[in-house]
């Protein structure tokens, strides 16, 4: 006998989507950490923070999550990782091949989907098709949340986009927006910080520097991933991802310390 689907109609489907969406949205109007950007660094940071029991929301302007991690470079879907970051691949169960000593290659779709799954399994929630618009600044300029809007709003002609954004509060915000460092740029627009712009490519130097410079750039705001190169004028690294994963890890550790400090102040 062929199994029949449950007798559930259109209104029940719509009600289920809308009520679950609103329930989650209301819950995440306040969180421990909002990460702007769902690329490899943001996913890794979110995963580790959520594993440590923190409430984490990733804001991503695209419908898909994963940023540049699906494709290695030049539209070729193999991603490279340099030692010692294969530790993360092992942890996530991502298969890879060592092509030369210290240089590993994995399939982009496999690596990216496993990282996304791990972030979801750890409890990270996502606001996709949602664009970061601005920061919430409080208490002598401390970053205290983000201003967001639906991504399609930003693609509409100016004359029909009188649509105000909304704001979400969080103790920590992370800039994981890649080369554009869009969150830090909002501080720069207000003269609160000066970014240097990323330097020319130098793989051997760049990855170590990104880890070294990952950290808090302004009270309440941590910068991770490629955004670090833009803020501090570090060389770009090209299509190799170890530093993105490890920068996410370091960012999560720093966020945990800051959350701990803030909990003591409150
Ligand atoms: O660019 P992306 O993958 O950043 P990442 O985690 O990793 C960089 C590498 O992919 C690669 C590299 C090193 O190997 O050179 O570029 O630092 O992911 C950034 C994510 O942020 C989203 C964007 O769509 C992407 O998924 N994003 C950028 N601006 C905004 C945003 C914004 N204003 N609002 C929301 N999401």
């Amino acid at each position: 006998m062929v199994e029949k689907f449950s007798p559930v109609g259109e209104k029940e489907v719509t009600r289920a989507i809308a009520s679950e969406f609103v329930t989650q949205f209301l819950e995440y109007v306040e969180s421990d950490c909002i990460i702007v950007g769902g690329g490899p660094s943001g996913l890794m940071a979110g995963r580790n923070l959520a594993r440590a029991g923190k409430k984490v929301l990733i804001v991503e302007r695209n419908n898909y999550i994963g940023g540049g991690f699906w494709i290695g470079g030049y539209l070729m879907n193999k991603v490279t990782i340099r030692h010692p970051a294969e530790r993360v691949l092992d942890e996530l169960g991502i298969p890879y091949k060592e092509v030369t000593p210290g240089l590993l290659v994995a399939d982009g779709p496999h690596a990216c989907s496993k990282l996304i799954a791990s972030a979801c399994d750890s409890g990270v929630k996502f606001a996709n098709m949602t664009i970061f618009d601005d920061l919430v600044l409080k208490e002598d300029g401390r970053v205290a949340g983000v201003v967001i809007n639906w991504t399609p709003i930003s693609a509409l002609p100016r004359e029909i986009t009188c649509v105000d954004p909304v704001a979400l509060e969080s103790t920590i915000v992370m800039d994981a927006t890649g080369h554009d460092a869009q969150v830090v740029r909002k501080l720069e627009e207000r003269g609160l910080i000066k970014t240097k712009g990323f330097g020319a490519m130098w793989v051997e130097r760049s990855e170590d520097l990104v880890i070294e410079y990952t950290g808090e750039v302004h009270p309440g705001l941590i910068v991770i991933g490629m955004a670090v190169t833009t803020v501090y004028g570090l060389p770009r690294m090209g299509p190799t991802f170890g530093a993105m994963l490890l920068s996410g890890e370091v960012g999560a550790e720093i966020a945990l310390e800051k959350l701990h400090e803030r909990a003591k102040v409150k």
Side-chain angles (χ1 to χ4, degrees), residues 24-136:
Q24 182 180 303
F25 193 78
L26 289 177
E27 199 185 329
Y28 281 79
V29 157
E30 187 180 15
S31 52
D32 294 317
C33 184
I34 290 176
I35 300 172
V36 185
S41 64
L43 285 166
M44 195 66 202
R47 167 193 183 265
N48 284 10
L49 277 171
R51 277 162 74 96
K54 300 301 170 196
K55 190 171 168 187
V56 185
L57 181 73
I58 294 187
V59 169
E60 170 54 57
R61 69 181 168 192
N62 283 332
N63 189 17
Y64 73 89
I65 308 296
F69 202 31
W70 293 102
I71 288 195
Y74 201 60
L75 295 184
M76 297 181 286
N77 68 358
K78 303 286 176 191
V79 292
T80 64
I81 282 107
R82 296 192 302 149
H83 175 77
E86 75 276 17
R87 171 172 58 73
V88 177
L89 303 185
D90 291 331
E91 206 181 310
L92 298 175
I94 298 166
Y96 58 87
K97 185 166 131 188
E98 183 160 31
V99 286
T100 61
L103 180 64
L104 305 314
V105 177
D107 283 346
H110 205 159
C112 196
S113 57
K114 283 259 185 172
L115 178 56
I116 295 168
S118 180
C120 294
D121 291 345
S122 307
V124 174
K125 295 295 178 198
F126 295 89
N128 50 338
M129 293 301 281
T130 300
I131 195 155
F132 164 84
D133 187 60
D134 208 342
L135 283 163
V136 176

